[in-house]
Amino acid sequence: MLLEIRGTRLYVDRRGTTGSPPLLFLHGGPGSGSYDFLSFQGDRLSAKLDLVGVDQRGVQHSDPLDGPVTENDLIADFEALRSALGIEQWSILGHSYGGRLALRYAATHPETVSKVIFENPPWDMVLATRTLVLGALPLLRELGLDDGVEDLLAYDGPATAEMWDERIGVLQRLGDRRMELYLGPNARDLVLPADDLPDEIQSRAGRFATEITRTPGFSESLLPYLERLTQPALLIKGELDPVTSPEEIALFQAKVPNGTYRNFQGIGHFVHGEVPAEYAELVTSFVAG
């Protein structure tokens, strides 16, 4: 369904039974939409949870953007959506970039976010970029496309739009082999269902990413927010994921008083798609427990 939220219409996919513990899914990208995650986890998680998936403003099945967007806009949208659905408190789950939004949301709205789950999040864009390029380096060298990546690896300044553009450029060098960076060795044939969506729907991701990556909030390191988390928090990490850095994991374990860390051996960036049954069991028990 499309719901009118703060001057735009957001696409909302709500599954499960009202009265079950509510869980909001925050997709990554930036701009990927919720279709992939719900294809793998929608029916599984909604068996025992009141699952709400939302395409962020301007993304996928939501209305196209008609102006700029910030991370604070997205948090305000989530709060307005919660109110519109009549939910007093909910748990939230953020995958990849959505894990960044989940940290910002949980730390600033502890009164409405009861629990928080992160799946392979980039809380600090400089650390996440370095981790991604390091992960891509063997494949870049194999293809003879590693010229200039040392500068990106050595970068230690603040996150900038230019740094992000260089990161995207490195990924584009990989061409059809880019997904090898994100998938575990036993999941190289995993298909992301959103690839089959119409081009007009998929193309909205580019506009969203261009807008959000040019905002100061996107460049902000959210690592200081970790010690502000008062809720039970779960960090899910695929061992072979190229996004979340060892430094971010260590800070989560040191700074989050009610934090739990779970590492899936041999799994990549899409834990929810590579081991869907085990993932659903873990998330369900955490939210409903």
Side-chain angles (χ1 to χ4, degrees):
M1 58 180 172
L2 286 169
L3 287 182
E4 186 79 26
I5 299 291
R6 301 182 62 248
T8 190
R9 293 187 304 168
L10 300 183
Y11 177 79
V12 179
D13 185 337
R14 188 175 188 181
R15 309 185 191 188
T17 304
T18 302
S20 298
L23 173 66
L24 171 68
F25 171 66
L26 308 180
H27 66 73
S32 292
S34 60
Y35 188 83
D36 280 333
F37 181 88
L38 293 174
S39 297
F40 292 116
Q41 290 295 326
D43 292 341
R44 288 183 169 89
L45 292 178
S46 64
K48 295 183 179 179
L49 303 176
D50 179 5
L51 178 64
V52 179
V54 58
D55 290 346
Q56 293 153 27
R57 61 170 53 218
V59 173
Q60 226 165 63
H61 294 95
S62 292
D63 282 348
L65 279 179
D66 60 2
V69 60
T70 69
E71 292 186 353
N72 286 333
D73 286 329
L74 301 178
I75 304 306
D77 287 347
F78 303 149
E79 272 293 275
L81 174 61
R82 179 192 58 76
S83 180
L85 295 177
I87 296 174
E88 183 176 350
Q89 278 191 326
W90 53 12
S91 297
I92 59 176
L93 188 168
H95 172 246
S96 194
Y97 176 70
R100 176 180 174 84
L101 299 175
L103 177 54
R104 189 184 288 279
Y105 187 13
T108 56
H109 292 276
E111 73 284 358
T112 57
V113 176
S114 55
K115 297 180 181 179
V116 58
I117 302 169
F118 310 102
E119 180 188 352
N120 296 322
W123 295 318
D124 182 289
M125 286 301 178
V126 175
L127 290 174
T129 296
R130 188 178 303 145
T131 303
L132 184 74
V133 175
L134 278 172
L137 198 55
L139 187 54
L140 288 167
R141 286 174 173 163
E142 176 189 333
L143 298 172
L145 299 172
D146 58 322
D147 289 349
V149 297
E150 293 82 3
D151 293 339
L152 197 51
L153 286 172
Y155 182 77
D156 62 357
T160 64
E162 291 75 21
M163 182 202 74
W164 179 262
D165 290 343
E166 288 184 38
R167 163 185 166 144
I168 295 300
V170 167
L171 291 177
Q172 289 175 340
R173 297 183 195 184
L174 298 176
D176 292 340
R177 299 187 64 180
R178 182 177 67 89
M179 288 306 293
E180 293 182 27
L181 180 61
Y182 290 98
L183 296 172
N186 297 321
R188 293 291 163 80
D189 59 349
L190 185 72
V191 175
L192 299 181
D195 289 344
D196 294 328
L197 290 175
D199 290 342
E200 189 273 332
I201 294 295
Q202 294 192 56
S203 66
R204 296 178 187 176
R207 167 74 189 279
F208 179 92
T210 297
E211 292 289 345
I212 203 81
T213 56
R214 268 62 186 167
T215 63
F218 183 84
S219 300
E220 179 189 5
S221 173
L222 298 188
L223 294 178
Y225 284 62
L226 288 172
E227 59 188 12
R228 295 171 56 182
L229 289 180
T230 57
Q231 309 92 329
L234 172 63
L235 173 57
I236 297 173
K237 177 71 167 66
E239 178 196 14
L240 305 178
D241 159 68
V243 173
T244 309
S245 68
E247 295 91 337
E248 290 166 300
I249 296 169
L251 282 171
F252 175 87
Q253 293 176 305
K255 298 292 187 180
V256 180
N258 296 312
T260 300
Y261 175 60
R262 174 68 185 275
N263 187 290
F264 282 81
Q265 297 295 303
I267 304 301
H269 188 60
F270 301 95
V271 184
H272 61 265
E274 292 193 42
V275 284
E278 190 175 355
Y279 181 96
E281 181 180 356
L282 173 64
V283 169
T284 300
S285 63
F286 179 80
V287 173

